[in-house]
Amino acid sequence: MSDAIRSEIDREVAGHPILVYGKGTKEAPRCGFTLETIQFFSSFGYPFEVIDVLENMPKREVLAAMTDWPTLPKVFIAGEFVGDTDILGPMAESGELQSLLEKTFADRGVKPTIQLH
């Protein structure tokens, strides 16, 4: 069963340049950390997806094993596990995250809807 879940996760990660596995959805987050991550990515103006894994313990267990990261949310950018806002915040402050997002979306011809100055 975990192979099927792993394949599903691989497809989801490949299908979204920014993917957040969290508690709740983008429209209805069900935890403060998921809400914080949604607000964080909303400020960059790039499209991102949130997948609710709150009620899906098998998927959460496979994600934890894949990432060696026990907590939610889990953020993937360009197919790579990045962490959560504890990691992303300092990346944004240094400019590393903006460079990663620009590179990720340049390949797809997507420009941010918000211009940060």
Side-chain angles (χ1 to χ4, degrees), residues 3-71:
D3 285 348
I5 295 171
R6 170 108 196 197
S7 294
E8 178 183 343
I9 292 167
D10 288 343
R11 280 192 309 277
E12 290 167 348
V13 168
H16 301 284
I18 302 173
L19 182 59
V20 178
Y21 287 99
K23 296 178 180 179
T25 62
K26 202 186 296 189
E27 296 75 24
R30 292 169 61 186
C31 110
F33 295 111
T34 299
L35 174 61
E36 175 187 20
T37 304
I38 291 166
Q39 291 171 335
F40 178 83
F41 277 113
S42 294
S43 72
F44 287 94
Y46 288 103
F48 66 97
E49 190 58 52
V50 178
I51 294 180
D52 183 5
V53 292
L54 184 61
E55 308 295 334
N56 190 338
M57 279 314 292
K59 191 170 198 175
R60 285 174 68 177
E61 289 166 7
V62 171
L63 277 163
M66 283 173 68
T67 60
D68 198 26
W69 194 269
T71 58

